[in-house]
């Protein structure tokens, strides 16, 4: 009957609409999460937090946390900490900045808090990271041709 076919068509259209709406909502959530990462990455040396992210993108903090966790499996706060520690590790290995200067640049409460957070994230202290970097560079330089040093005793 015509009524049955019309009902079937309407039902299928409604189901398609629901599917597309859910897919679009998912795409927006992924977009928001990725833009949050981009914002954090480009502002890692600023004292940013969830309020800053919410204000930037005009969304509630709980919505941002939800989108971020769904996409990346961690909270924005955890990501900020990981990114700060990654940045700090690079600074320790590539600059002559002190632990105190790095902790201040990355807006940790103090160098003790920075060192504890660093060790919790990496398993070693900032100074051990620096010393390991120096040791690695010495091994590389000693073994390089033309360095004037020999690895043979």
């Amino acid at each position: 009957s015509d009524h049955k076919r019309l009902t079937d068509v309407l039902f299928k259209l409604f189901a398609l609409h629901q599917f597309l709406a859910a897919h679009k909502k998912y795409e927006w959530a992924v977009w928001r999460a990725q833009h949050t990462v981009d914002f954090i990455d480009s502002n890692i040396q600023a004292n940013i937090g969830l309020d800053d992210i919410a204000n930037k993108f005009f969304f509630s903090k709980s919505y941002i946390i939800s989108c971020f966790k769904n996409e990346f499996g961690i909270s924005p706060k955890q990501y900020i900490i990981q990114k700060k520690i990654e940045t700090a590790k690079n600074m320790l290995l590539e600059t002559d900045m002190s632990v105190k200067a790095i902790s201040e640049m990355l807006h940790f409460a103090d160098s003790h808090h920075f060192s504890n957070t660093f060790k919790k994230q990496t398993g070693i202290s900032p100074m051990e990271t620096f010393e390991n970097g120096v040791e690695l560079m010495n091994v590389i330089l000693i073994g390089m041709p033309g360095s004037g040093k020999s690895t043979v005793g």
Side-chain angles (χ1 to χ4, degrees):
S1 85
D2 290 339
H3 186 299
K4 171 89 169 108
R5 277 185 281 156
L6 182 59
T7 302
D8 287 346
V9 168
L10 287 174
F11 180 76
K12 288 177 182 175
L13 283 173
F14 179 73
L16 179 61
H17 171 74
Q18 293 296 98
F19 171 79
L20 292 173
H23 185 68
K24 186 159 184 77
K25 185 176 180 182
Y26 172 77
E27 285 178 357
W28 271 106
V30 170
W31 180 88
R32 289 178 187 120
Q34 188 56 55
H35 276 73
T36 301
V37 164
D38 294 343
F39 177 71
I40 292 168
D41 289 354
S42 62
N43 292 285
I44 199 61
Q45 291 184 12
N47 193 13
I48 58 169
L50 201 48
D51 287 328
D52 302 302
I53 297 166
N55 291 336
K56 168 77 176 167
F57 295 108
F58 305 104
F59 294 111
S60 71
K61 292 188 276 188
S62 60
Y63 181 75
I64 289 171
I65 291 169
S66 174
C67 289
F68 203 92
K69 276 189 171 182
N70 286 339
E71 184 64 17
F72 301 112
I74 60 173
S75 72
K77 183 177 180 179
Q78 290 169 309
Y79 180 78
I80 290 169
I81 291 169
Q82 287 179 0
K83 192 67 180 179
K84 284 186 178 203
I85 296 305
E86 178 187 318
T87 302
K89 191 187 300 183
N90 290 336
M91 291 173 150
L92 286 164
L93 295 173
E94 297 170 6
T95 73
D96 61 354
M97 291 178 68
S98 69
V99 170
K100 184 176 189 299
I102 293 171
S103 71
E104 288 172 358
M105 180 177 279
L106 295 173
H107 298 278
F108 282 87
D110 55 44
S111 57
H112 182 71
H113 177 248
F114 166 69
S115 293
N116 286 342
T117 303
F118 191 98
K119 187 165 187 168
K120 184 178 177 183
Q121 292 286 316
T122 65
I124 61 174
S125 73
M127 281 310 297
E128 289 173 305
T129 299
F130 172 76
E131 290 164 359
N132 288 347
V134 169
E135 193 174 305
L136 179 61
M137 286 307 296
N138 285 338
V139 168
I140 291 169
L141 291 175
I142 289 171
M144 287 180 78
S147 66
K149 298 181 180 177
S150 172
T151 56
V152 179

